Amino acid sequence: MNDSLALARDSILAPVGLSDGDLDRLLGLLAGASVDAADIYFQSSRLQSWVIEDGLIKDGNFNIEQGAGLRVICGEKTGFAYSDELQFPALAQAAEAARTIARGGRGHSVAVGAKAPAAALYPPINPIDSLENADKIALLRRVDAEARAADPRVREVTASLVAAHDVVLVLADDGSLAADVRPLVRMNVSVIVEADGRREQGSSGGGARTDLGFFLAEERALGFAREAVRLALTSLEAEEAPAGTMPVVLGPGWPGVLLHEAVGHGLEGDFNRKGTSAFAGRLGERVAAPGVTVVDNGTLPGRRGSLAIDDEGTPTQETVLIEDGILRGYMQDKLNARLMGVAPTGNGRRESYAHLPMPRMTNTYMLAGDRDPAEIIASVDKGLYAANFGGGQVDITSGKFVFSASEAYLIENGRIGRPVKGATLIGNGPEVMTRVSMIGNDLKLDEGVGTCGKDGQSVPVGVGQPTLRIDALTVGGTSA
Amino acid sequence: MSISATEDTAERLARLQESVEELLREAERQGASAAEASVGSSTGLEVAVRLGEVETVEHIRDNGLGVTVYFGHRRGSASTTDLSPAAVRDAVRAACAIAEYTQEDSCAHLAAPELMAREVPDLDLCHPWPIGVDAAVALAVECEEAARGHDPRIVNSEGASLSTHFGLRVYGNSHGFIGGYPSTRHGLNCAVIAQEGESMQRDYWWSSARAPEDLDAAARIGARAAARTVARLNGRRLGTRKVPVLFRAEVATGLLRGLIGAISGGSLYRRASFLLDSLDEQIFPEFVRIHEQPLLPRGLASAPFDGDGVATRAKDLVRDGVLQTYVLDTYSGCRLGMPSTANAGGVRNLTIDSGPLDRAALLREMGTGLMVTELMGHGLNMVTGDYSRGAAGFWVENGEIQYPVEEVTIAGNLREMFANLVAVGDDCDFPGSTRTGSWLIEQMTVAGE
C-alpha cells in the first residue's frame, strides 16, 4: 500500500479537483519533442511554532503554504514557473511560462501512474497534531524551569518548539507520480548567563523527522536546557583563543560540519559539471588521508537530513563520496546526472515549490576509524580541542572553508586544559582532508539542528563524524 | 506571469487593501480585541546565462499574508501564501487558536495610534521594467562576455543573471491605519572564474536599483567582476601577527551590521548585546556620524512606514561618536521602556559619513597591514563582541599593495574595533542601501601559517 501517495492525492489534488486526466494534460503542455525533461512539484506545508521567553509563552505562529512548481528542461536550459493556486487554469498558465525556453512543438501523452513507493524512513504523520497544544506549552515551561534551576547565573532563557508537516507530490514526464509525507520537529534552547559583569550565551537543541514525543523521550528536551547552560557557563570561564596553525582535535557529531564545508559542497554535481569546484575532474584521485571514508546518506530512518525520495522523485541512497581517501563520486540531481552521463543519486532538493531543485546534501558523515578518542587527545602536545561548532562557509572554487568553534579547549601535553573563546577555523578543503592523521571509533551524528544554505535556498541536513585529529589547521583567535 | 503592464497597479493595490480590511474584520468577528495584517504580492522575471547560453528562465509570482491577533495582551500570528477568502478565514482562525495558549504580555499591543504614518509619501520606488525574456538574456550575455573578454586568465564562468521584480505591500491595523505602495527592484550580476597554474579563484560584481536606468552598464559590471577575480590569483598566506586592518568599503558594511545588531531592541532586552546601556556613550571616535534615511527617493531600503505602521523618519544613530538612539520596534521599545524608533523590519538606508581620505590615501595612512576584501563565516559573538572570521585580501607595505592574501583569519572585539577606528574613507563604490567607505582599524590579530 502506498500511504504517502494516497495522503498526498487527498490533501493536494482532491481539494482543487485535479484529476489524473488534468495532470496528463499539464504534462502535455510542458513536454514535447524538443524537451529533455519536465516535471511538476506539488507541495502543501503546515508549520507551527511556539516561543517561551522570560518564562512566558509569548509568541506562536502558524504558517500555511501550498503551490506547484513547473519545470521544463532542454539541454542545459531550464524554464521554471510556479503558482500558489492549484486550479487547472493557473497551472496551465504557469506551464506556458515555463515552456518559453522550448522552441519545438508539443505532443506528449503518457499515462499518469503511481511510482513504486520508496522505503519508509519516517511515519506519514502530521507532527503538529502529535501533541496537544497545552502539552507543547507545558513542555516549553519545563524546559525554561530546567534551565533556570540549573544555575543561579542563568539570566535569560528562550526556547522554541517547531513542528512542520510537508506533503510533496512529484509528477515526472514519464507520468510517474511519487509522493512523500515529511514530518519535521525541532527544538532550540538559548540562555544568557551573567557573573561578575561578564555575560555569555549558550544554545543547544535537536530535531528529527518524527512526532513531538521525540522531545519527551529520555528527557531529551530537558537535556537541551542543561546543555545550553553548560555551554554558556563554560564560555564564562573561557580565555583568549590561540592564533595560528596547530594540531586540532575535533569532537564527534556536530563538528562534522567540517565535512559539509571542506568536501561536501565541493562534491555537488552542478559545480563539478561546470568545472567550478576545487574537486572537479579529480574522481579516482587521492583527496584525503588513507582511512578517510565520507558518505552522503539520505536513507537513515528519522534523521533531519533524510528523505524517502528527493524533490525530483528519485529514491535517496547512500553515496560514497570518498573511500579510504580516494574521491569516488559526486552528489547528483537529474539534470546534472544526465549532463554528466551518470545516474542521479537522490540529491535533487529544493526549498519549496517556488525554487528550482539542485544537488544538495542529505546526511553527510565520515565513517568510524579504530582509534580510542582518549588516545587521539593524548597524541597532541600543544593544540586545540574543538567540541562544538556554530556554522561554516566554503568557497568551492578556491576550496577555502571556515567553521566557527563555539566550545573549545587548549590541549597541553596530551591533556584537555582551559576553555578558550569561540574562534573561526580556516583551511583548504582538498588539503585539510589529507592532514587527517587519526580517526576515532566513536562515530556520532548531530542532534538534528542543521540547515544548509545554497543560492538562497535553505534545506534541513545532517552531519556527523568520529573524533578526528587534523595535524595542521589555522585557528583564528586573538592570542598570538 | 511576468510583470503585468495590462493590469492597473492601483486596482491591484485596492484588491490587496480589501484583503487586509477583510483580515481585520474577520479577526474582529472571531473575537480579537485588536489585529494587524500585511499582504504582499510580487511578480518578476529572473534569467541566468552561462558561457553565452541561457541557463534558467524563472517566472516569479509570490503572494503572502500575515496576521497577528490580540486578545487583550495575548497574541497569536499566522501566515499563508494563499490570498483566497477561505485562506484568510483559516489564517485568522489559526492565529486565534495560537492566542488561546499564549500568555499575558503587557508589551504585546499595537503601536500607539499617534505614531501611525498619516500619509504615504511617494518615495519614487516604482519603476517597472517591461523587459522581455530575449532582451533580458541579451543583457546578461553582454555582461558575461565583458567579463570573459576582460582577461585571458578568465577561463570559466558561473554566469550572469538579470532579475526584475515588481511588488505591492499593504499593511493595516485596527487603529484604522491602512497603507500600501508599489515598488520595483532590478539587478544584474556576474560571477566568473580565473585560473593561473594551480590557483583557481571566483569572484563577482553586481548592480541593484529601483529604476532600470540606474543600473550600472552591463559591460562595466562584467569587467569589474573579472578584474576582482584575476586580482585574487596566486594568493599567499601570512604568518600570524598583529597588524592594522583596512576593511574595504564593500566588506565594511558587515561592521555596520554588527553595530545595528547590537543596538537592536531584540538583542538589548534579551541582554544579548555587547552594547548594553550604551545610549549617550562614546562608542566611536568623535569623527563618526552614522545616520538612517528611510525616506530617501529611490532608496533600495526606503519605506514610508515600518512593519508596525509607524511613520519612518530620518535620524542620527551615532553623532560625534556618541550613540544617539537604539533601533526599536513597538514591542522591544516597550520592553526597554522607550517609544518605537520606527524600525520594525530593520534600519533603512544607513550611511556613515565619509572622511577626507580616498583609497590610496587610506592605504598610505595604514602603511603596512592587511586590506580585507572578503570575509567568511559568522564569527561574531553578539553578547561579547568577540569577532573572528575567515578573510582574504591584499598585503600592503608602505601604502602599496604587494600581493593577494588568502586563508587567514582576523580576530578582535567589535567594541574595541569601533573605539579604535582610525579613519573612514571617501571611497564608497558599491551598490546597496548601506553607504560606507573603507574602515581602517588600528590593530587586529591575523592568524595564518
Side-chain angles (χ1 to χ4, degrees), chain A residues 301-388:
Chain A
R303 302 293 311 183
R304 180 175 165 87
S306 297
L307 294 173
I309 54 169
D310 71 3
D311 295 324
E312 298 179 308
T314 307
T316 56
Q317 64 182 47
E318 176 174 353
T319 305
V320 176
L321 304 174
I322 296 173
E323 184 181 20
D324 200 16
I326 307 297
L327 182 59
R328 289 295 180 208
Y330 300 126
M331 290 167 277
Q332 300 287 4
D333 62 359
K334 283 184 171 178
L335 169 68
N336 288 287
R338 179 172 57 78
L339 294 173
M340 290 182 81
V342 297
T345 57
N347 289 90
R349 302 185 63 185
R350 62 204 299 175
E351 180 176 306
S352 80
Y353 67 88
H355 299 85
L356 275 170
M358 55 185 155
R360 302 295 295 264
M361 285 174 260
T362 59
N363 304 294
T364 312
Y365 52 94
M366 186 188 296
L367 302 190
D370 56 6
R371 298 300 190 107
D372 179 346
E375 179 195 351
I376 297 177
I377 286 165
S379 76
V380 176
D381 277 344
K382 197 168 185 325
L384 190 80
Y385 175 65
N388 264 295

Side-chain angles (χ1 to χ4, degrees), chain A residues 134-449:
Chain A
D135 294 329
K136 295 171 196 165
I137 304 305
L139 176 62
L140 282 173
R141 289 174 161 290
R142 283 171 58 205
V143 165
D144 177 78
E146 184 77 13
R148 288 176 193 281
D151 194 281
R153 290 169 287 182
V154 172
R155 277 291 298 262
E156 305 282 336
V157 180
T158 305
S160 62
L161 182 66
V162 181
H165 180 226
D166 193 18
V167 182
V168 305
L169 189 61
V170 189
L171 176 62
D173 50 9
D174 62 359
S176 69
L177 258 183
D180 200 9
V181 177
R182 302 168 173 171
L184 190 63
V185 296
R186 166 90 203 256
M187 173 176 264
N188 192 69
V189 186
S190 180
V191 304
I192 301 265
V193 295
E194 213 165 318
D196 307 324
R198 195 167 160 181
R199 268 175 302 116
E200 275 292 354
Q201 185 172 31
S203 56
S204 175
R209 293 202 180 277
T210 181
D211 59 56
L212 288 165
F214 177 75
F215 297 116
L216 300 170
E218 303 160 22
E219 292 205 333
R220 202 173 256 122
L222 302 185
F224 297 149
R226 292 191 288 264
E227 175 68 359
V229 173
R230 186 189 70 78
L231 288 168
L233 293 177
T234 303
S235 292
L236 216 43
E237 309 293 322
E239 300 176 6
E240 305 271 283
T245 299
M246 60 195 74
V248 174
V249 176
L250 300 172
W254 180 243
V257 69
L258 163 84
L259 305 170
H260 181 98
E261 304 297 353
V263 296
H265 279 296
L267 299 180
E268 289 167 341
D270 45 355
F271 300 129
N272 288 284
R273 170 174 68 83
K274 297 173 184 176
T276 60
S277 165
F279 288 100
R282 299 192 58 186
L283 276 183
E285 289 181 26
R286 174 163 298 284
V287 295
V292 172
T293 295
V294 179
V295 301
D296 182 82
N297 187 351
T299 70
L300 302 174
R303 302 293 311 183
R304 180 175 165 87
S306 297
L307 294 173
I309 54 169
D310 71 3
D311 295 324
E312 298 179 308
T314 307
T316 56
Q317 64 182 47
E318 176 174 353
T319 305
V320 176
L321 304 174
I322 296 173
E323 184 181 20
D324 200 16
I326 307 297
L327 182 59
R328 289 295 180 208
Y330 300 126
M331 290 167 277
Q332 300 287 4
D333 62 359
K334 283 184 171 178
L335 169 68
N336 288 287
R338 179 172 57 78
L339 294 173
M340 290 182 81
V342 297
T345 57
N347 289 90
R349 302 185 63 185
R350 62 204 299 175
E351 180 176 306
S352 80
Y353 67 88
H355 299 85
L356 275 170
M358 55 185 155
R360 302 295 295 264
M361 285 174 260
T362 59
N363 304 294
T364 312
Y365 52 94
M366 186 188 296
L367 302 190
D370 56 6
R371 298 300 190 107
D372 179 346
E375 179 195 351
I376 297 177
I377 286 165
S379 76
V380 176
D381 277 344
K382 197 168 185 325
L384 190 80
Y385 175 65
N388 264 295
F389 280 86
Q393 193 184 333
V394 63
D395 174 334
I396 50 109
T397 302
S398 69
K400 305 293 179 280
F401 71 96
V402 295
F403 57 143
S404 302
S406 56
E407 180 191 11
Y409 305 83
L410 293 178
I411 306 177
E412 285 165 320
N413 303 319
R415 289 206 182 123
I416 292 179
R418 292 161 292 158
V420 294
K421 288 185 175 192
T424 289
L425 279 59
I426 190 163
N428 179 327
E431 216 172 77
V432 84
M433 299 310 290
T434 64
R435 296 188 186 150
V436 172
S437 60
M438 297 172 91
I439 303 172
N441 57 13
D442 55 344
L443 168 62
K444 199 176 130 191
L445 299 177
D446 73 284
E447 295 283 349
V449 295

Side-chain angles (χ1 to χ4, degrees), chain B residues 163-334:
Chain B
S163 66
T164 172
H165 293 256
F166 169 86
L168 297 164
R169 171 195 173 212
V170 175
Y171 168 90
N173 62 34
S174 36
H175 289 324
F177 173 81
I178 187 158
Y181 56 94
S183 64
T184 52
R185 189 179 180 111
H186 318 291
L188 186 54
N189 70 68
C190 180
V192 286
I193 288 166
Q195 190 161 17
E196 189 171 42
E198 290 290 291
S199 177
M200 184 159 79
Q201 294 288 345
R202 166 201 181 276
D203 213 328
Y204 66 99
W205 196 248
W206 81 107
S207 179
S208 181
R210 294 290 193 183
E213 66 267 25
D214 292 342
L215 285 176
D216 257 0
R220 266 186 56 166
I221 296 166
R224 184 127 180 222
R228 285 165 57 90
T229 308
V230 295
R232 298 174 64 147
L233 284 168
N234 302 310
R236 304 186 209 169
R237 304 194 64 203
L238 292 174
T240 300
R241 60 189 71 180
K242 291 193 192 250
V243 288
V245 172
L246 182 70
F247 287 78
R248 203 165 68 181
E250 70 269 26
V251 294
T253 54
L255 302 176
L256 276 173
R257 273 199 301 280
L259 168 72
I260 298 306
I263 62 171
S264 289
S267 306
L268 293 166
Y269 83 74
R270 295 184 182 100
R271 302 185 66 76
S273 163
F274 62 93
L275 289 176
L276 283 192
D277 307 317
S278 294
L279 211 52
D280 301 322
E281 298 282 316
Q282 186 89 36
I283 58 171
F284 283 98
E286 270 183 19
F287 66 82
V288 173
R289 174 180 178 238
I290 299 168
H291 59 113
E292 186 197 15
Q293 296 169 281
L295 300 170
L296 198 64
R298 295 197 183 189
L300 281 167
S302 294
F305 52 85
D306 78 352
D308 297 334
V310 177
T312 54
R313 59 181 191 279
K315 58 180 172 283
D316 282 0
L317 302 182
V318 174
R319 194 186 310 132
D320 301 328
V322 174
L323 183 63
Q324 305 294 312
T325 178
Y326 292 141
V327 168
L328 307 172
D329 59 12
T330 303
Y331 180 80
S332 65
C334 172

Side-chain angles (χ1 to χ4, degrees), chain A residues 21-36:
Chain A
D22 292 330
L23 296 184
D24 188 28
R25 280 163 63 207
L26 285 170
L27 271 184
L29 288 175
L30 279 177
S34 66
V35 170
D36 288 307

